[in-house]
């Protein structure tokens, strides 16, 4: 049954993804995080109280998401085993973001290929935090590739990792653990900033997400290096460049793809008019093209399918 759930969930994400306007666990998580963080900032006025509030916020959202998911799945199984499989598959599919990631890349690439630079910049601004108003076509391509390769780990591979871990723990199950990780990732994206007003409130969420993503990120790098058939070279470049990135995970994820594709990512990005220089990752053997982005997405799919296949083979 667990193997069937994993296969159905993967198929649902591949075929349907996250249709716009449909109910989605992340939207619920976002609503809860927004309300609780506003309350915390309203009533906690000093660094210590905000740090403590951040801990409670993280624990409530992460554990609460897992518990809600477990309750929903168990209730469905109680009604009928087939309903349990269907509900758990849908919940897990909502935790995988491969189709959403691919659709986001296509949304920006389409007008860019048609020479509609302004439209590409506008659409890109929906997916990235950097300023996009003055980006050139090569800079837009770099932004897309960096977004695709960074989110490949925390949006696709890490949720699958915790799905597999949960599948081997019968008491917990695949969906609750995947939802708990998704909650941690959502917390980090919403409040895990060093800037005000989240400097103290979001520190726990940021550190916790870094810790949860650390192992699946390294396993993703190893998987990509093996798929490239040049693991020593990929690992050497990651050891050289990824450590320069202040993030313990995104630099490794982006660098692995850069090494496999033979491109270079990083450089100067602008955020609210302020320049921020990111470390250069990889060697500029080839320019970044739409084909580079398509190859990165294909690598993510192959890595996902490899992990999925191993899990189905190993699950008793």
């Amino acid at each position: 049954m667990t193997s069937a759930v994993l296969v159905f969930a993967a198929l649902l994400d591949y075929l349907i993804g996250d249709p716009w306007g449909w109910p989605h666990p992340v939207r619920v998580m976002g609503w809860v995080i927004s309300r609780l963080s506003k309350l915390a900032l309203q009533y906690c006025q000093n660094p210590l109280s905000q740090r403590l509030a951040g801990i409670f916020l993280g624990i409530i959202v992460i554990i609460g998401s897992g518990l809600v998911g477990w309750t929903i799945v168990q209730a469905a199984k109680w009604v009928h085993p087939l309903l349990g499989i269907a509900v758990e598959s849908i919940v897990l599919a909502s935790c995988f973001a491969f189709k959403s990631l691919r659709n986001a890349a296509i949304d920006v690439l389409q007008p860019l290929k048609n020479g509609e630079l302004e439209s590409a910049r506008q659409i890109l601004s929906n997916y990235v935090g950097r300023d996009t108003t003055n980006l050139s076509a090569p800079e837009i391509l770099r932004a897309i590739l960096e977004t695709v390769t960074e989110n490949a780990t925390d949006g696709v591979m890490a949720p699958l990792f915790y799905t597999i871990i949960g599948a081997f723990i019968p008491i917990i199950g695949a969906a609750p653990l995947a939802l708990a990780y998704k909650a941690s990732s959502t917390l980090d994206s919403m409040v895990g900033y060093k800037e005000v007003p989240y400097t103290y409130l979001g520190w726990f969420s940021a550190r916790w997400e870094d810790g949860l993503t650390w192992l699946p990120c390294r396993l993703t790098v190893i998987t990509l290096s093996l798929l490239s058939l040049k693991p020593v070279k990929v690992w050497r470049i990651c050891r050289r460049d990824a450590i320069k990135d202040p993030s313990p995970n995104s630099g490794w994820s982006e660098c692995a793809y850069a090494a496999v594709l033979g491109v270079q990512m990083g450089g100067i990005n602008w955020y609210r008019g302020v320049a921020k220089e990111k470390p250069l990752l990889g060697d500029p053997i080839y320019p970044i093209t739409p084909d580079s982005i398509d190859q990165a997405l294909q690598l993510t799919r192959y890595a996902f399918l490899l992990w999925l296949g191993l899990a189905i083979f190993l699950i008793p």
Side-chain angles (χ1 to χ4, degrees), residues 11 112 126 164 172 195 281 283:
L11 282 173
L112 188 63
N126 296 324
I164 295 170
I172 299 177
E195 294 83 9
L281 307 173
D283 299 319

Side-chain angles (χ1 to χ4, degrees), residues 117-140:
L117 196 59
E118 187 57 40
S119 178
R121 290 168 177 162
Q122 182 60 42
I123 297 171
L124 179 64
S125 68
N126 296 324
Y127 300 111
V128 301
R130 71 190 71 181
D131 299 340
T132 63
T133 306
N134 299 312
L135 292 184
S136 63
E139 289 172 324
I140 291 174

